[in-house]
Amino acid sequence: MQYRLTLKILGLLLMVFSLTMLPSILVSLIYDDGAHHAFIVAFLWVIAVGFGMWLPVRNWQKEMRTRDGFLVTVLFWLVLGIAGSIPLFLAPEVHLSYTDAFFESFSGLTTTGATVITGIDDLPKSILFYRQQLQWLGGMGIIVLAVAVLPMLGIGGMQLYRTETPGPVKDSKLTPRIAETAKALWYIYLTLTLVCGAAYWAAGMSFFDAISHSFSTVAIGGFSTHDASIGYFNSVTIELIAVVFMLLSSANFGLHYVAWNSRSIKHYFLDPEYRAFQVIALVLASMTSITLLLIHTYTPFESFRYGIFESISLLTTTGFATADFTIWPLFAPFVLFMASFIGGCAGSTAGGMKVVRVLLIFKQGLREIKRLIHPKGVFSVKVGNRKVSDKVVESVWGFFSVYILAYGLIFFGLLACGLDFVTTWSAVGSALNNLGPGLGEVALHYGNIPGVAKWLLCLAMLLGRLEIFTLLVLFTPQYWRK
Amino acid sequence: MQYRLTLKILGLLLMVFSLTMLPSILVSLIYDDGAHHAFIVAFLWVIAVGFGMWLPVRNWQKEMRTRDGFLVTVLFWLVLGIAGSIPLFLAPEVHLSYTDAFFESFSGLTTTGATVITGIDDLPKSILFYRQQLQWLGGMGIIVLAVAVLPMLGIGGMQLYRTETPGPVKDSKLTPRIAETAKALWYIYLTLTLVCGAAYWAAGMSFFDAISHSFSTVAIGGFSTHDASIGYFNSVTIELIAVVFMLLSSANFGLHYVAWNSRSIKHYFLDPEYRAFQVIALVLASMTSITLLLIHTYTPFESFRYGIFESISLLTTTGFATADFTIWPLFAPFVLFMASFIGGCAGSTAGGMKVVRVLLIFKQGLREIKRLIHPKGVFSVKVGNRKVSDKVVESVWGFFSVYILAYGLIFFGLLACGLDFVTTWSAVGSALNNLGPGLGEVALHYGNIPGVAKWLLCLAMLLGRLEIFTLLVLFTPQYWRK
Ligand SMILES: [K+]
Ligand SMILES: [K+]
């Protein structure tokens, strides 16, 4: 393990991250909300600690290796989670315990969007802005991680239909490739955010709300500057804009890159994963709307309006809300929460298990049935025109089962904390899928559950974001052996 | 499809099954409980219908082929479920609706052991005997199915560590092999039943209860002649006997066969699946007992007494009860219900996903982690000393995912029937794993849930018993094509 290099990277990371306190200081001064103090202190602490970590190892010049990537990636999230929690903990206006401050920060950075705060409408603008920005930064980190880092570690959905072997380049030099890819992704991410923000603004949001919600839409985050979430605006236009950008942000960012380079949108309809996602979204939104229509909860127009919005919000794992689905018959939110296990496409900011994995599991299930009927037949699993190797199919199954296992273990932990079944069921799924909202005791916010439960949910968020295996590898003796 | 042959087999099956009404008629006459009428009518109906089906096609001499096996196997359960429900529906002493009579019959035959009847202690002896006998017959059917039929169809855990290809012999002649294997299994099953019954009798059960409970123990069924189940006897000796025979009946019956032929018990400690089962049982029983000890629900002795019994009862999917675990903190029954997803070994009367599958999933998970750390390494999954082919590993994953999918779909159905979350969660798992007991509204019995929910649970029991794929294959167009 190259510990000195790890320290250097994390030190640099912290110094860069400290700069993200500056916009909040500016917002605080503009709105004169009095919360600038917390951000200034946080800025100084984070930059000082980062500098202190970087200084003694600044001349360390070794290249990072694939294997170090596992540790660095896990520490990346933990260190940012802690750094991000500082202003939330310090600001007297939100008076959070440290557990709550970390939960809020981590939920933001992982783009989960579960909140422990009530009375969001009354918070200082700078704190509101900071929460939204945490999600946006987290989303950026996730894209880079999903598109550039995890595939090199052999983890994640991205490489599933790209290469034949899960670990393509052993001990390859990571840095140059990451930097190049990250830059292209950054432009796409920024463009999406700007267009989304402009659309929100044009549709009637205030400038502040437009920026804030474009941050959490493109990041599939789900934080809002209002307790009532997107429902606050009560605008069909705004809801439509949100739906469009949730769907766009659920696409593989590599697909946006291809579309941008070729100046053509045809790839959105050719990519097998995004096509499957569109079909799932359509089926889910129709099912939900028709269900709402049949049970007479709303008028026909409202049934489709709320049905479509909530379906897309939960499927993409955004977690924005316009309707109170806790008053729906339980099976309707049940299906939406189950849909969040699918999530968006690999290489997007969305959570869940990712569409490509669900697609592969489905196709392999079909192959099993074909094999039973024709025992001597040879069948291969294909995505698009590409044959998927058995090794890749196996890695998907491995992912699927550890995902379920992680869900079961954290489920057990939350029950042991004394939470009821519906609360536990929804909260664990919501955290693991980086979705956000819950049912039961966490229907409104996560503030009232025990501290241990909050930490367990943070673990679930981390596992979801790290596609589980990145963290799991660190717990094997083999990893730490020379 | 050889429909005439199918009809002939089912006709013969019904005629044989009609004979199983005779012992109940005898019991009714001995105890003079007045219920003999229902059994006589049922006997006449079943034998007449069977004869009517068999008569026109009795000279049809074609051999059965593998492919026909799927349809015959599914019809086998359905036809027996209907035939078995007749006396329960006719007997005025139990006054069941047809839905309830079928549920009780099907729950018995699939050795699930979920009941819709209250006041079991007050039922006529002949009805009690009949219910226990249904489980015993079902258990026999399951063993033959699991050891002889399903492997030929390429389904089931049995072939997982036996052969390399899921469908070993295409269109082979089924009958002679089944008959030979079935005979050996029948002796083992009978011997286990007799020894178990004798032990119960010696431990203080009445002769009637001893036979009745040996039937439902060896079949991993869980029906009892008392509302309080095994708890009625309040005897540590009886509970220990039950634990021993639940553990024995959870072994692959092929293993009993080997042990019997070689006059040695060493195979019970050499077989990788049964060894894994022993480890799981030990860990689960210890965990449960220590948990009960720590939460001060019982005295230390009771903690181990109830902890061990309930752990083995739920892990093996028997479903006998001695303690009321609905008063335990929810996470304790949660773990026991999750354990029932493992179940016993392939080729036993136990339900669940079977130990060998869980073992393979676990080993493949370990391989995935090794592959991440050493991307160029070649690792194989082994059970014992045998290398498991990728095809077999994939078939296990396929099973795992359709199992979860079936669980999710029936879960949705029960929620849509208006059942609460804990009831649904426990009932669906209990039916799919052929376990029996539930929580919430079905903690005592399944009588009060809506009729649609009962039929959905019957579907879950069937799916569990048919290892899902047997039924799934029938819903593909490929199966029905020439
Ligand atoms: K989210
Ligand atoms: K059972």
Side-chain angles (χ1 to χ4, degrees), chain A residues 366-430:
Chain A
L366 287 182
R367 174 168 69 168
E368 277 309 305
I369 292 176
K370 280 189 207 151
R371 278 179 174 171
L372 285 172
I373 300 172
H374 304 289
K376 302 270 180 192
V378 175
F379 306 98
S380 57
V381 172
K382 280 184 183 175
V383 171
N385 297 320
R386 231 174 286 240
K387 203 184 138 197
V388 179
S389 80
D390 281 353
K391 219 170 171 182
V392 168
V393 172
E394 282 163 19
S395 83
V396 173
W397 290 119
F399 178 81
F400 183 63
S401 62
V402 292
Y403 207 82
I404 304 235
L405 187 70
Y407 182 83
L409 289 178
I410 298 173
F411 197 110
F412 169 73
L414 258 70
L415 281 187
C417 290
L419 294 180
D420 71 77
F421 219 79
V422 172
T423 305
T424 301
W425 175 78
S426 63
V428 179
S430 198

Side-chain angles (χ1 to χ4, degrees), chain A residues 368 371-378, chain B residues 66 149-172 177 386-396:
Chain A
E368 277 309 305
R371 278 179 174 171
L372 285 172
I373 300 172
H374 304 289
K376 302 270 180 192
V378 175
Chain B
T66 305
V149 182
L150 291 186
M152 299 206 189
L153 304 183
I155 286 175
M158 272 300 287
Q159 93 281 13
L160 292 180
Y161 56 112
R162 291 285 154 83
T163 68
E164 282 291 290
T165 50
V169 202
K170 201 192 174 186
D171 278 355
S172 66
R177 250 164 92 184
R386 230 174 287 240
K387 203 186 136 192
V388 179
S389 79
D390 281 353
K391 221 171 170 181
V392 168
V393 172
E394 282 163 17
S395 83
V396 173

Side-chain angles (χ1 to χ4, degrees), chain A residues 111-113 220-222 317-319 434-436:
Chain A
T111 77
T112 306
I220 311 268
T317 73
T318 312
N434 299 114
L435 166 62

Side-chain angles (χ1 to χ4, degrees), chain A residues 107 110-114 135 216 219-223 313 316-320 349 351 430 433-437 465:
Chain A
S107 165
T110 56
T111 77
T112 306
Q135 295 218 306
S216 58
I220 311 268
F223 270 164
S313 174
T316 61
T317 73
T318 312
F320 280 144
T349 45
S430 198
N433 296 331
N434 299 114
L435 166 62
R465 268 303 159 225

Side-chain angles (χ1 to χ4, degrees), chain A residues 154 330-331 334-335 364 367-369 371-373 390-391 394-395 397 401 411-412 421-422 425 476, chain B residues 153-154 330-331 334-335 364 367-369 371-373 390-391 394-395 397 401 411-412 421 425 476:
Chain A
L330 192 53
F331 69 91
F334 171 78
V335 171
Q364 213 261 317
R367 174 168 69 168
E368 277 309 305
I369 292 176
R371 278 179 174 171
L372 285 172
I373 300 172
D390 281 353
K391 219 170 171 182
E394 282 163 19
S395 83
W397 290 119
S401 62
F411 197 110
F412 169 73
F421 219 79
V422 172
W425 175 78
T476 59
Chain B
L153 304 183
L330 192 53
F331 68 91
F334 171 78
V335 171
Q364 213 261 318
R367 175 168 70 167
E368 278 309 305
I369 293 177
R371 277 179 175 171
L372 285 173
I373 299 171
D390 281 353
K391 221 171 170 181
E394 282 163 17
S395 83
W397 290 119
S401 62
F411 198 111
F412 168 73
F421 218 79
W425 176 78
T476 60

Side-chain angles (χ1 to χ4, degrees), chain A residues 24-25 27-28 33-36 38-39 86-96 104 117 120 122-134 208 223-225:
Chain A
S24 296
I25 296 172
V27 171
S28 180
D33 64 12
H36 61 279
F39 292 106
I86 298 175
L88 295 168
F89 179 58
L90 292 179
E93 292 83 356
V94 279
H95 49 86
L96 297 177
E104 192 78 11
I117 301 175
I120 287 172
D122 305 325
L123 287 182
K125 292 279 190 203
S126 56
I127 300 278
L128 289 177
F129 180 82
Y130 179 72
R131 287 170 75 244
Q132 305 297 122
Q133 189 193 251
L134 273 182
F208 180 80
F223 270 164
S224 171
T225 52

